[in-house]
Structures are given as structure tokens and as C-alpha cells.
Amino acid sequence: QVQLVESGGGLVQAGGSLRLSCAASGRTFSTYGMGWFRQAPGKEREFVAAISRSGGITYYADSVKGRFTISRDNAKNTVYLQMNSLKPEETAVYYCAASKGSRWRMADEYDWWGQGTTVTVSS
């Protein structure tokens, strides 16, 4: 069982930055691929970014490439999402998730989810 707790959400102006964190419980954090997803009001949950177990491989949605950076610190059992140049349409609840699998762009590949942190981008 893995428990995930996100933090770092808040209100930011368009063009601003936020850094999300996701702290994981347990001793096996380094054995999971980690991902960030988001869900805007009235929309489906969508993939944002993912990172391999060692942190050596990253994946991004096309819409965030060049602006968002995912990273992880296995010693701290934490994954991060640095978000720059935020846009109002990126207002959403952001979730981190842990996967024992490898299809990290797919939400159904993830085994554990956090409760989410809300990001609001004002125009």
C-alpha cells in the first residue's frame, strides 16, 4: 500500500509558476513509476507528466512540454512538478499517482492516487 500526499497548489497569475510536491509513504518508492495528472471542472482527467523509477526517463503531455518539469528524489520519497508559464486553462486539481507498470501516460496503469491539490490560474 502506498499513500500519496500532494502539496504546493494555490492561486497564481497567468504566466506565473508553482512547484507541486507529492510525498509517498513506504520503503518501495523507487520501484514505482510516478505520474502527474490533472482534472479541470467538467473535464476528464488528463496526463501531464511521468517519470521512471530511477528518474532517468521523463514523459510530458505536448501541452506542457518546455514549461513543466517532473523530477523525483528517491531518498525523500518525493516527486515534484515544476510548472512555469501557467495558463488560465490549466486551472485544475492536480493528482500524483504511483504505478507498478510501464504505460505511464495511461491513468489506468496507476495503482495508487493522491487526493489532489488545486491549482488556480487567474487571467
Side-chain angles (χ1 to χ4, degrees):
Q1 186 73 15
V2 177
Q3 292 185 327
L4 302 171
V5 179
E6 302 96 334
S7 61
L11 175 64
V12 64
Q13 289 189 332
S17 298
L18 280 176
R19 188 193 196 202
L20 305 183
S21 299
C22 173
S25 64
R27 302 178 181 177
T28 57
F29 178 74
S30 63
T31 67
Y32 303 120
M34 298 297 296
W36 286 97
F37 289 75
R38 64 189 179 191
Q39 187 166 17
K43 295 188 177 181
E44 293 187 354
R45 191 170 298 189
E46 65 172 352
F47 170 77
V48 176
I51 190 166
S52 63
R53 295 164 178 81
S54 67
I57 301 172
T58 56
Y59 300 90
Y60 296 95
D62 288 344
S63 60
V64 307
K65 279 181 182 176
R67 298 186 298 118
F68 289 14
T69 302
I70 188 171
S71 61
R72 67 189 296 164
D73 185 337
N74 285 343
K76 295 182 178 179
N77 280 14
T78 302
V79 62
Y80 306 97
L81 185 68
Q82 177 67 44
M83 306 185 296
N84 299 329
S85 301
L86 281 160
K87 305 174 182 179
E89 56 265 36
E90 294 180 310
T91 293
V93 178
Y94 284 70
Y95 299 89
C96 75
S99 172
K100 295 183 291 184
S102 59
R103 298 179 301 122
W104 295 322
R105 293 180 181 270
M106 309 301 294
D108 61 5
E109 189 75 349
Y110 289 82
D111 302 281
W112 295 279
W113 293 81
Q115 292 299 306
T117 186
T118 300
V119 172
T120 303
V121 185
S122 63
S123 57

